[in-house]
Amino acid sequence: MHTEHWLKNDFDLSGRLRQVESQIGRTPLQPIQRLFSKKGVRLFVKKEWEQLSGSVKARAAFSIVKAALESGQLRPGRALLDATSGNTGIAYAAIGKALGIEVVLCLPENASQERKDILRSLGAQIVFTSRFEGTDGAQEVARDLAEQYPERYFYADQYRNDNNWRAHYRTTAVEILQAVPEITHFVAGLGTTGTFVGTGRRLREQKPGVQLIALQPDSALHGLEGWKHLETAIVPGIYDPTLADASEEIDTAEAYEIIRAARKHEDLLLSPSAAANLAGALRIAERLDEGTVVTVLPDNADKYGEVMKQLFT
């Protein structure tokens, strides 16, 4: 069977694809009312863990997988290969398990034990890469494997794959506009940059006056899982440097303080990156006299047992 006809003729796979898609997106927005309160200014957070695989990365992973299946790049006998710091890998693995697709992930060896356990439980194969080179090193290993074995792997390359940002253009931004049409400021951290780029592009088209604020860690050595310090890291191919109206740096210690505060005041158990997004959104909201600020919370604290232990014991 020709690969371009494989998906449309595999009704079982097509049905499973629709079933997976039904579990992705449509996440709720929650107002922040006790941690922040200022007349004329509102702050909303989008709880992205309330979907398949427990993180925002389900959107990009599904978009990448679906496009690869439709184009025939991902087909029987070929495994999906990518580099990951954890959440995208977990999303790939959850989707792969549901669809019967083999998933191979290049993961820095110092990834948390929780991540390793989750990936293995979902059937992913892990290729461990240098703890000292982070996701940049994992990308190099994945690229080398893809070049060595082109028939064995479909290299998803989330950092350069336009289906990453398109997922947020098609879904995240639309959901925000439907729920909070009065949005004036969108704030998000930069990792693969897909969330910021895709959501920001759609918001800018629909509301030209919206302010887009990009967040980065304040140094190359930081504890914000999935984030990139773009001055010292490989800049993702999908990043659009002309999109942001402003940029803010977030210190890891500040994010950790927000983890404590969000638990106490908002009953939110956040990951470090989610807390960093909230820290940036709070900073912007506090400067405003009026407006509506929205950020995304990429995941919750479920996969960060060691960090939580340090913060709450």
Side-chain angles (χ1 to χ4, degrees):
M1 183 182 294
H2 294 298
T3 56
E4 62 265 30
H5 301 304
W6 169 54
L7 180 61
K8 67 175 67 175
N9 286 284
D10 189 335
F11 299 110
D12 182 50
L13 179 59
S14 296
R16 282 181 283 153
L17 198 63
R18 288 192 295 273
Q19 176 63 28
V20 170
E21 190 168 21
S22 72
Q23 301 175 62
I24 293 172
R26 296 172 290 277
T27 56
L29 273 95
Q30 175 175 318
I32 297 297
Q33 296 175 314
R34 293 177 290 278
L35 191 56
F36 171 81
S37 179
K38 187 177 183 180
K39 186 178 179 181
V41 183
R42 296 197 299 164
L43 172 57
F44 291 88
V45 295
K46 195 158 174 58
K47 296 161 72 174
E48 286 293 287
W49 61 83
E50 294 195 17
Q51 60 185 314
L52 181 70
S53 82
S55 87
V56 67
K57 297 298 187 179
R59 297 178 188 265
F62 181 78
S63 177
I64 288 168
V65 169
K66 184 179 180 184
L69 287 168
E70 290 174 342
S71 69
Q73 291 175 290
L74 193 52
R75 54 184 182 268
R78 211 171 190 208
L80 181 146
L81 168 71
D82 210 349
T84 179
S85 63
N87 276 336
T88 307
I90 292 169
Y92 283 141
I95 293 166
K97 184 176 182 180
L99 299 179
I101 293 168
E102 184 181 0
V103 174
V104 179
L105 302 168
C106 296
L107 182 77
E109 61 187 354
N110 59 332
S112 71
Q113 191 59 48
E114 290 114 317
R115 278 175 165 69
K116 295 171 186 175
D117 291 344
I118 292 168
L119 289 170
R120 289 188 176 114
S121 73
L122 291 168
Q125 297 176 43
I126 305 174
V127 177
F128 289 111
T129 62
S130 170
R131 68 177 59 229
F132 303 110
E133 296 176 6
T135 52
D136 286 354
Q139 287 178 72
E140 290 181 16
V141 172
R143 195 176 302 116
D144 288 346
L145 282 171
E147 288 174 359
Q148 275 185 276
Y149 307 102
E151 290 305 310
R152 165 81 174 109
Y153 297 116
F154 159 65
Y155 178 29
D157 197 2
Q158 60 170 317
Y159 294 91
R160 300 184 64 84
N161 192 320
D162 286 329
N163 291 299
N164 181 336
W165 68 262
R166 284 174 184 148
H168 300 284
Y169 181 92
R170 291 192 297 256
T171 67
T172 314
V174 173
E175 292 169 26
I176 289 171
L177 287 167
Q178 288 172 345
V180 192
E182 65 275 21
I183 181 175
T184 59
H185 295 73
F186 176 69
V187 182
L190 301 179
T192 68
T193 74
T195 301
F196 183 78
V197 170
T199 307
R201 280 180 175 156
R202 187 63 172 264
L203 292 176
R204 176 66 47 75
E205 286 178 11
Q206 301 294 313
K207 294 182 69 73
V210 72
Q211 293 292 293
L212 307 175
I213 297 93
L215 307 177
Q216 292 189 54
D218 63 349
S219 70
L221 299 174
H222 62 88
L224 304 177
E225 186 74 43
W227 279 35
K228 278 185 174 290
H229 183 252
L230 294 188
E231 288 182 19
T232 57
I234 297 173
V235 177
I238 62 171
Y239 181 53
D240 179 356
T242 69
L243 196 58
D245 294 292
S247 182
E248 298 281 335
E249 292 187 343
I250 306 295
D251 176 64
T252 300
E254 180 183 0
Y256 283 7
E257 284 305 311
I258 293 295
I259 291 175
R260 293 190 182 96
R263 180 184 180 183
K264 179 179 179 181
H265 298 290
E266 300 290 341
D267 197 29
L268 290 169
L269 288 169
L270 303 182
S271 68
S273 63
N277 271 358
L278 180 52
L282 286 165
R283 192 184 295 175
I284 299 303
E286 285 162 359
R287 294 175 187 163
L288 300 178
D289 294 321
E290 60 179 12
T292 300
V293 181
V294 177
T295 192
V296 296
L297 304 180
D299 60 348
N300 63 8
D302 285 354
K303 299 183 289 290
Y304 301 86
E306 286 305 312
V307 172
M308 298 304 126
K309 199 180 297 181
Q310 292 170 24
L311 288 173
F312 295 110
T313 56

